C-alpha cells in the first residue's frame, strides 16, 4: 500500500521539532467526482501520508487506513502543499471530515464524526469500518444537496448572498454579515454538489467571506 503514498523522498522534509511519537489523525477529502484524498496528519504543520484514490476502490482505501493505523515511528514527513503541488488548492476545496483520537473508556480511541462511533486499534479491520463511514458521509451529504436544491430558486439565493457579501469591503461589514457567513459554512455539503454552477457560486461566497474576515483581522491587529 505504501506505493499509494504521494509523500516520497523527493518531497519529504525534516521537521523542525520532534514529532516521532505523535499520533496520526486523518483528514478525508472527497471530490464531486468521487476522488478520495486520505491525509495522515501528525500535527497542524506536518503530514506522514497523502494518497488519492477513488470512492469505488474500497479494498484499497481500507488497506491504506489499516496501514496508517499501524504506522510506527518509521515515517517520512512533509506538508500538504509540498506533496499535493498544483492540486493543493483544488483538493482543499473538496468536502471533508476529520477522524481524531479521543479519550474513551480509560484509553484513546479514534472517533468518526460521521456516525459518532469509536473504533478500535489493530488488528481490528478498522479500514473497512472507516470506508463505510466515507460512503455514509458522501451519501448523507449528497442527500442534503438534493433537498437544498429541490427548488432551483436556491441558486438565485446564492447569487443574492454573493451580492450582499460584496456590497462593502470594510472591517465593520464583516461583523454585519457574520451570521450569513456562518450559515454558508454550515452548508459545506454543497462542495459535493454535482452542479458545477452551484459549487462555483458557493465558493465565491465563501471566498468573499474569507476576504472580509482577513480585512477585519488586519484592522483588529
Amino acid at each position: 500500500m505504501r506505493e499509494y503514498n504521494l509523500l516520497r523522498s523527493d518531497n519529504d522534509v525534516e521537521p523542525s521539532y520532534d514529532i516521532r511519537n505523535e499520533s496520526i489523525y486523518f483528514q478525508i477529502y472527497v471530490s464531486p467526482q468521487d476522488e478520495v484524498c486520505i491525509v495522515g496528519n501528525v500535527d497542524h504543520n506536518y503530514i506522514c501520508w497523502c494518497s488519492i484514490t477513488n470512492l469505488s476502490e474500497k479494498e484499497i482505501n481500507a488497506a491504506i487506513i489499516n496501514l496508517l493505523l499501524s504506522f510506527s515511528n518509521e515515517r517520512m514527513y512533509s506538508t500538504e502543499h509540498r506533496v499535493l503541488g498544483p492540486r493543493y488548492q483544488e483538493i482543499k476545496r473538496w468536502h471533508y471530515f476529520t477522524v481524531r483520537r479521543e479519550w474513551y473508556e480509560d484509553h484513546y480511541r479514534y472517533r468518526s464524526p460521521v456516525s459518532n462511533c469509536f473504533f478500535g486499534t489493530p488488528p481490528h479491520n478498522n479500514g473497512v469500518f472507516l470506508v463505510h463511514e466515507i460512503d455514509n458521509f458522501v451519501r448523507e451529504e449528497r442527500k442534503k444537496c438534493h433537498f437544498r436544491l429541490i427548488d432551483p430558486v436556491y441558486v438565485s439565493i446564492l447569487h443574492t448572498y454573493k451580492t450582499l457579501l460584496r456590497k462593502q469591503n470594510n472591517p465593520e461589514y464583516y461583523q454585519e454579515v457574520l451570521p450569513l457567513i456562518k450559515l454558508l459554512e454550515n452548508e459545506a455539503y454543497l462542495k459535493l454538489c454535482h452542479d458545477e454552477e452551484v459549487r462555483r457560486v458557493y465558493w465565491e461566497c465563501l471566498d468573499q467571506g474569507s476576504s472580509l474576515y482577513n480585512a477585519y483581522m488586519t484592522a483588529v491587529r
Side-chain angles (χ1 to χ4, degrees), residues 20-66:
R20 288 173 297 175
N21 295 315
E22 294 296 321
S23 298
I24 296 172
Y25 66 93
F26 307 96
Q27 282 185 300
I28 299 173
Y29 297 85
V30 184
S31 79
Q33 293 77 34
D34 290 345
E35 285 184 279
V36 176
C37 180
I38 299 173
V39 179
N41 293 268
V42 181
D43 60 14
H44 64 281
N45 291 318
Y46 298 106
I47 67 172
C48 62
W49 181 277
C50 182
S51 58
I52 299 176
T53 54
N54 192 276
L55 194 65
S56 64
E57 297 177 291
K58 301 184 188 305
E59 291 185 3
I60 292 172
N61 291 332
I64 287 171
I65 292 163
N66 283 331

Side-chain angles (χ1 to χ4, degrees), residues 30-205:
V30 184
S31 79
Q33 293 77 34
D34 290 345
E35 285 184 279
V36 176
C37 180
I38 299 173
V39 179
N41 293 268
V42 181
D43 60 14
H44 64 281
N45 291 318
Y46 298 106
I47 67 172
C48 62
W49 181 277
C50 182
S51 58
I52 299 176
T53 54
N54 192 276
L55 194 65
S56 64
E57 297 177 291
K58 301 184 188 305
E59 291 185 3
I60 292 172
N61 291 332
I64 287 171
I65 292 163
N66 283 331
L67 175 64
L68 279 170
L69 288 170
S70 65
F71 255 14
S72 65
N73 290 339
E74 297 176 7
R75 311 170 183 165
M76 290 191 296
Y77 302 101
S78 192
T79 65
E80 284 182 285
H81 191 277
R82 184 176 177 88
V83 172
L84 291 171
R87 297 201 70 183
Y88 174 79
Q89 294 295 340
E90 172 201 350
I91 290 172
K92 296 300 280 188
R93 287 179 176 262
W94 294 358
H95 202 12
Y96 74 94
F97 65 95
T98 304
V99 178
R100 299 181 184 274
R101 278 164 40 103
E102 297 181 10
W103 189 255
Y104 178 72
E105 294 185 346
D106 298 327
H107 60 282
Y108 281 102
R109 289 177 180 245
Y110 284 96
R111 183 185 70 84
S112 167
V114 179
S115 62
N116 201 31
C117 288
F118 289 87
F119 53 100
T121 55
H124 303 295
N125 196 351
N126 297 298
V128 170
F129 169 80
L130 203 47
V131 164
H132 286 313
E133 294 290 277
I134 298 171
D135 286 343
N136 290 337
F137 171 74
V138 173
R139 182 170 56 253
E140 293 303 312
E141 296 298 274
R142 286 207 168 121
K143 283 182 181 178
K144 294 176 185 177
C145 287
H146 169 72
F147 289 121
R148 170 55 76 192
L149 300 170
I150 203 164
D151 188 332
V153 74
Y154 187 68
V155 179
S156 298
I157 292 173
L158 277 178
H159 281 283
T160 302
Y161 287 164
K162 183 175 72 172
T163 300
L164 285 171
L165 290 166
R166 290 180 172 178
K167 186 176 180 180
Q168 297 181 42
N169 195 27
N170 57 67
E172 295 79 12
Y173 192 57
Y174 169 74
Q175 290 289 351
E176 183 177 335
V177 295
L178 182 56
L180 172 56
I181 293 170
K182 290 182 176 179
L183 184 154
L184 286 161
E185 290 172 347
N186 287 334
E187 297 189 335
Y189 53 83
L190 292 173
K191 297 175 185 178
L192 281 175
C193 180
H194 289 303
D195 189 319
E196 187 175 353
E197 181 191 2
V198 172
R199 296 199 312 272
R200 177 182 59 78
V201 180
Y202 176 72
W203 270 109
E204 287 173 350
C205 290

